Amino acid sequence: MKHWLASVLLCWSALVAAEPRTIVVGIEQIDYYPHYDFSAGQQRGYFYDLMQLFGKKNGVQIRFTALPVKRLYQEANNNIDVVYPDNPNWQQYMVAEYSKTFSDPVIYTLGSTMVLPENRQMPLENFRSLAVIHGFAPHRWLELQPRYKFRIVDVADSASALGLVLKGRVHGASIELNVANEYLRRQGQSGALVAAEQLPFTELPFLLSSVNKPELIIEFNRFLQRHPLEIQQLKQKYQLLEHRSQLKAP
């Protein structure tokens, strides 16, 4: 009996030991494709594939928790191992009670001002209205507002922001360039809006952050360093641009 019980316990211990770790990734519950899309039950995009690759290479299971933008960063200390996207410059998402550990850049994003082609050269002096996705804070634009007095229109998502520009109801929309171009392509309107050349444009890295598990960030950074070719292939799969110099001349 003792030998049988010992064998059962040994087998159970082996099974438990063999179970992969599970990492809970908190992510914005929005359509930000091709970077990521976790709206309406979706799980797709570059970051989704990247985390699946990370899980495969490191023997971990990835579980995503999609939350509204503002709530995501408030919940970063509750049952979430890592949060994406994040950046130490996003002061509105910092919580004084705890500190975060940030990863190396996951990808660089192109914070553009999308306008009608005829407004490509519009100067700030003539700009009157900007559509912004709820929960996003376009820092450069906010710094400029006291001087230039343009109006900011808060909208639910990228589609709403771009739609206002297409209809001529606002001059521009603060939208990541890859996201804007993908939406326009899906609507059969490629080129209907362009990145303004004299209005704010940023190259901002998206990072992974963690409050409770800094060791995961170290592990993730090691993954980024060891698999650059496969990661680059994922970026090419989603046709992601990371630098303004990659934009084609009009």
Side-chain angles (χ1 to χ4, degrees):
M1 181 67 178
K2 291 182 179 179
H3 291 298
W4 175 83
L5 181 59
S7 297
V8 170
L9 290 173
L10 183 62
C11 291
W12 180 81
S13 299
L15 286 172
V16 171
E19 289 182 0
R21 292 175 295 147
T22 297
I23 295 175
V24 180
V25 180
I27 190 153
E28 296 171 336
Q29 193 177 37
I30 61 173
D31 181 354
Y32 211 67
Y33 194 83
H35 289 284
Y36 53 88
D37 179 8
F38 284 77
S39 64
Q42 295 276 2
Q43 290 191 345
R44 63 179 187 142
Y46 163 72
F47 181 69
Y48 175 81
D49 285 3
L50 181 71
M51 292 309 295
Q52 297 306 313
L53 180 63
F54 171 69
K56 178 182 177 181
K57 297 294 185 181
N58 290 60
V60 298
Q61 290 184 342
I62 308 298
R63 181 163 65 86
F64 292 95
T65 296
L67 295 169
V69 175
K70 289 185 177 180
R71 184 181 163 196
L72 170 64
Y73 302 94
Q74 295 169 353
E75 296 287 330
N77 198 33
N78 297 323
N79 301 315
I80 292 177
D81 295 319
V82 294
V83 165
Y84 185 84
D86 210 342
N87 189 291
N89 293 324
W90 296 348
Q91 293 300 317
Q92 75 274 23
Y93 296 140
M94 293 296 180
V95 179
E97 287 74 22
Y98 53 79
S99 61
K100 298 178 181 179
T101 301
F102 293 91
S103 75
D104 293 338
V106 175
I107 195 166
Y108 279 85
T109 61
L110 302 179
S112 61
T113 304
M114 301 301 293
V115 298
L116 293 168
E118 58 264 32
N119 293 330
R120 184 193 300 269
Q121 298 296 335
M122 177 179 282
L124 270 166
E125 289 77 9
N126 296 343
F127 192 85
R128 294 292 177 265
S129 50
L130 177 75
V132 175
I133 300 173
H134 181 70
F136 285 61
H139 297 285
R140 182 63 182 138
W141 276 110
L142 293 176
E143 292 171 355
L144 292 168
Q145 191 180 27
R147 178 180 175 185
Y148 291 96
K149 310 299 182 183
F150 50 83
R151 178 171 56 100
I152 291 181
V153 180
D154 196 54
V155 298
D157 49 35
S158 300
S160 300
L162 296 171
L164 289 178
V165 184
L166 288 167
K167 295 172 184 176
R169 295 181 182 175
V170 296
H171 271 158
S174 179
I175 302 288
E176 204 278 333
L177 185 65
N178 293 285
V179 174
N181 285 342
E182 172 62 21
Y183 172 79
L184 293 170
R185 184 192 65 78
R186 294 199 310 253
Q187 299 301 311
Q189 294 181 287
S190 295
L193 298 177
V194 297
E197 296 184 4
Q198 298 189 50
L199 301 177
F201 189 104
T202 60
E203 295 182 3
L204 179 74
F206 274 5
L207 316 176
L208 208 62
S209 73
S210 181
V211 174
N212 298 313
K213 296 189 176 180
E215 68 278 5
L216 279 180
I217 300 300
I218 295 173
E219 185 178 1
F220 183 76
N221 284 344
R222 191 177 300 120
F223 158 76
L224 293 178
Q225 294 163 6
R226 289 178 175 175
H227 304 284
L229 180 59
E230 289 163 285
I231 293 170
Q232 184 59 35
Q233 288 172 342
L234 285 181
K235 292 177 181 178
Q236 291 173 350
K237 171 185 174 181
Y238 289 100
Q239 301 179 33
L240 287 163
L241 304 178
E242 294 188 83
H243 304 287
R244 192 165 197 167
S245 60
Q246 294 176 283
L247 302 185
K248 295 179 181 179

